[in-house]
Amino acid sequence: MKTICLYFEIHQIIHLKRYRFFDIGTDHYYYDDYENERTIEDITRRSYMPALNVLGDMIRDSEGYFKVAFSLSGVGMEQLEMHAPEVLEKLQELNGTGCVEFLAEPYSHGLSSLANEAAFAADVKKQAEKIEQYFGRKPTVLRNSSLIYSDDIGTQVAALGFKGMLTEGAKHILGWKSPHYVYNSSIAPNLKLLLRDVELSDDISLRFSNTEWERYPLFADNYVERIARMPEDENVINIFMELSALGIAQPLSSNILEFLRAMPVCARQRGITFSTPSEVISETKSVSAINVPYAMSWVNEERDISPWLGNSMQREAFNKLYSIADRVRIANDAKINQDWDYLQASNNFRFMTTEHSNVGLDRGIYSSPFDAFTNYMNVLGDFLNRVNSLYPDEIDNEELNSLLTTIKNQGDEITMKEKEIVRLQAKVEKLQIAEERLKQKLDKAVAKKSVAKKKATKNTEASEEKINDKQ
């Protein structure tokens, strides 16, 4: 039986402000708060809330037949918390239906998987913890930034304990093979891979409202019919896209949500089910391994990583940033960590691209790739200075790690001693209370004894008086 695995990604760009060379060392705040708030409120109104409302209706109307998955970057969640908490509340409501799965991904929506294994692990674990905090379940399937995957990355993901991973059904990797099966990593066989159907996904996210497209207008029944007519043994149809495709890339006026709403009805008529990624991975065997020696992604026609690292400017910025990855991780300073997350975000490098892409690119405040590079490097220059001022670069990473470990151990020892002092103080207070109670009991006993003695003396004197009277 064929099943559709539908997945949406939610990430929000953190816009850098115009930051000049002379700001280095004097201004440590790098972000355009006005633009960040404006853009997320706009995308929430035009895309996120209308789309999530319809997805919720689809789950209820189909009585749980329809299922869907999401992944949210940590930095995107932070922006939603500040400017559009209703989106997170709606996602929590959908989570309560039992028909939604939330995936893991790098917290920063960055490129750490290409640079530093420890930084990547920390990035993923941080986001997984935030997902569990909001939705009550630890993710078991990972989706890397922009579906970036390679054999080496698969090994890292498997080592982190994930059962599966989403990536691109790139033709140069699959060759004659179909993306409609479950595959596995060639180096880590226990890690299953779900491959995006490029054509079916892009028909919705990129071409739906294009009046010059040969399939325009696209109707749900025809779309589902194409899936139903696929070879009998091709049973896993992975349709992956950004949630913003519903309302931004494809405006609501194109009837994109009406198309989406009709999908479960049409699918049910053809005996096609919906499944979450973890359901597909647990219920479907891998047919074979796929070899991906070089990193691939979903963004450009080449399906490689050149949108972020294709020119010398991008590589210089990337190498400069990740040159301090270990120091940032070892130092573990709260404010440094926040800026580290924001500066890792992949859009910072994509703004510097010089290549054409079939996925639209809005550079925002930047007039050119070089303008984006210059602004980012100014910000990065200040950030590097801050890291080095906290922990001078004369101290190598091993020495810094040892020093901070010593400081941490000393801190832990002080904390333990403080707790012991509190415990002893409490014990002393209890002993003092017990002593006071004992003293009160003794005083009462002495007083009682004194009264008894006086009474006995008085009785004796009375007896003696009686005897004297008789005499």
Side-chain angles (χ1 to χ4, degrees):
M1 178 181 291
K2 287 180 168 48
T3 191
I4 296 173
C5 181
L6 182 62
Y7 150 85
F8 295 103
E9 187 237 343
I10 299 177
H11 167 62
Q12 191 64 30
I13 290 175
I14 305 295
H15 295 275
L16 298 179
K17 67 182 180 182
R18 180 62 68 180
Y19 194 91
R20 305 189 184 283
F21 176 80
F22 296 104
D23 294 325
I24 298 175
T26 62
D27 182 2
H28 304 317
Y29 192 78
Y30 313 132
Y31 314 107
D32 187 339
D33 290 336
Y34 171 80
E35 187 63 15
N36 286 328
E37 182 176 0
R38 185 196 67 79
T39 54
I40 197 166
E41 288 181 349
D42 179 66
I43 199 171
T44 294
R45 176 179 56 82
R46 295 168 54 199
S47 173
Y48 290 168
M49 288 308 296
L52 292 175
N53 285 330
V54 166
L55 291 170
D57 291 343
M58 292 163 67
I59 292 172
R60 286 185 289 272
D61 294 345
S62 67
E63 298 179 338
Y65 189 81
F66 174 73
K67 298 178 181 180
V68 65
F70 298 94
S71 75
L72 296 82
S73 69
V75 297
M77 293 180 74
E78 288 184 16
Q79 292 295 297
L80 292 172
E81 288 170 338
M82 286 189 287
H83 305 303
E86 64 271 25
V87 174
L88 293 172
E89 291 169 4
K90 190 66 181 179
L91 287 168
Q92 288 175 320
E93 179 187 320
L94 295 181
N95 183 52
T97 65
C99 297
V100 175
E101 179 178 5
F102 292 91
L103 311 183
E105 70 165 75
Y107 190 96
S108 66
H109 196 271
L111 305 174
S112 54
S113 62
L114 301 172
N116 187 291
E117 187 170 340
F120 177 62
D123 215 4
V124 169
K125 289 177 181 178
K126 184 176 179 179
Q127 187 266 358
E129 289 172 359
K130 197 171 184 73
I131 290 293
E132 187 174 12
Q133 173 190 342
Y134 265 92
F135 306 110
R137 185 177 300 177
K138 187 176 181 180
T140 59
V141 179
L142 182 135
R143 175 256 186 210
N144 198 10
S145 307
S146 300
L147 297 181
I148 293 173
Y149 176 80
S150 69
D151 293 334
D152 289 339
I153 293 172
T155 304
Q156 295 178 51
V157 171
L160 292 174
F162 290 97
K163 304 300 182 184
M165 187 171 177
L166 275 55
T167 188
E168 179 75 340
K171 290 183 179 180
H172 72 278
I173 294 298
L174 285 174
W176 56 268
K177 297 178 181 178
S178 166
H180 304 142
Y181 298 95
V182 174
Y183 295 90
N184 63 269
S185 167
S186 61
I187 300 179
N190 290 331
L191 182 74
K192 292 183 177 179
L193 303 175
L194 301 184
L195 309 185
R196 186 177 86 112
D197 184 303
V198 176
E199 183 177 352
L200 288 174
S201 300
D202 289 353
D203 280 355
I204 298 175
S205 62
L206 298 183
R207 294 184 281 268
F208 184 83
S209 61
N210 182 1
T211 57
E212 298 181 358
W213 178 40
E214 60 182 9
R215 286 202 174 99
Y216 179 87
L218 182 63
F219 294 104
D221 55 351
N222 294 335
Y223 186 83
V224 171
E225 184 65 23
R226 284 164 58 194
I227 295 174
R229 290 181 178 179
M230 289 176 181
E232 185 176 351
D233 58 343
E234 295 188 13
N235 290 328
V236 180
I237 315 301
N238 299 308
I239 302 173
F240 305 159
M241 68 191 77
E242 296 175 344
L243 185 62
S244 60
L246 310 178
I248 302 299
Q250 308 305 321
L252 299 181
S253 59
S254 68
N255 293 321
I256 183 70
L257 295 184
E258 286 69 21
F259 166 85
L260 192 69
R261 193 191 295 272
M263 276 186 62
V265 177
C266 297
R268 201 169 206 165
Q269 291 173 349
R270 295 307 310 265
I272 299 172
T273 64
F274 288 84
S275 300
T276 63
S278 62
E279 288 176 339
V280 173
I281 286 168
S282 64
E283 297 170 6
T284 311
K285 292 183 179 180
S286 168
V287 294
S288 69
I290 58 170
N291 297 301
V292 189
Y294 303 104
M296 65 175 176
S297 75
W298 75 276
V299 172
N300 60 347
E301 292 182 4
E302 291 75 19
R303 301 296 191 261
D304 58 15
I305 57 172
S306 60
W308 306 277
L309 299 175
N311 62 49
S312 58
M313 293 184 296
Q314 293 170 310
R315 291 190 293 273
E316 180 180 348
F318 175 84
N319 292 333
K320 198 75 171 177
L321 175 68
Y322 284 102
S323 68
I324 58 165
D326 291 328
R327 298 180 73 78
V328 170
R329 177 178 50 81
I330 293 169
N332 196 26
D333 177 87
K335 188 62 180 77
I336 292 294
N337 286 346
Q338 184 182 53
D339 290 333
W340 172 249
D341 289 336
Y342 294 169
L343 294 178
Q344 281 191 90
S346 62
N347 55 275
N348 291 310
F349 302 96
R350 183 133 188 266
F351 290 150
M352 305 175 199
T353 187
T354 52
E355 70 173 31
H356 173 74
S357 172
N358 61 337
V359 179
L361 175 62
D362 179 3
R363 286 193 170 90
I365 65 171
Y366 305 125
S367 59
S368 67
F370 182 73
D371 186 26
F373 169 74
T374 302
N375 200 69
Y376 183 80
M377 292 304 286
N378 287 340
V379 170
L380 187 56
D382 184 78
F383 181 71
L384 293 173
N385 288 343
R386 287 168 56 208
V387 173
N388 291 330
S389 67
L390 285 174
Y391 310 103
D393 53 6
E394 290 82 5
I395 304 176
D396 61 28
N397 289 339
E398 185 175 348
E399 186 180 356
L400 176 61
N401 193 19
S402 176
L403 176 62
L404 292 178
T405 300
T406 300
I407 293 172
K408 182 180 182 301
N409 290 339
Q410 289 176 344
D412 291 343
E413 186 176 351
I414 291 171
T415 300
M416 289 178 62
K417 288 182 177 179
E418 288 175 344
K419 289 180 179 179
E420 181 66 15
I421 290 171
V422 170
R423 188 184 68 81
L424 291 174
Q425 285 177 337
K427 189 174 183 180
V428 168
E429 288 176 0
K430 287 182 180 179
L431 290 173
Q432 288 175 339
I433 292 171
E435 182 183 6
E436 183 64 27
R437 288 176 178 173
L438 180 61
K439 185 178 179 181
Q440 290 175 356
K441 286 182 180 180
L442 289 172
D443 290 343
K444 287 181 180 180
V446 169
K448 187 176 182 181
K449 187 175 181 181
S450 177
V451 170
K453 186 177 181 180
K454 288 179 180 180
K455 186 176 181 181
T457 302
K458 188 174 180 181
N459 290 338
T460 301
E461 291 175 350
S463 297
E464 289 176 351
E465 287 178 0
K466 288 181 179 179
I467 294 172
N468 292 333
D469 290 342
K470 288 180 180 182
Q471 293 176 350

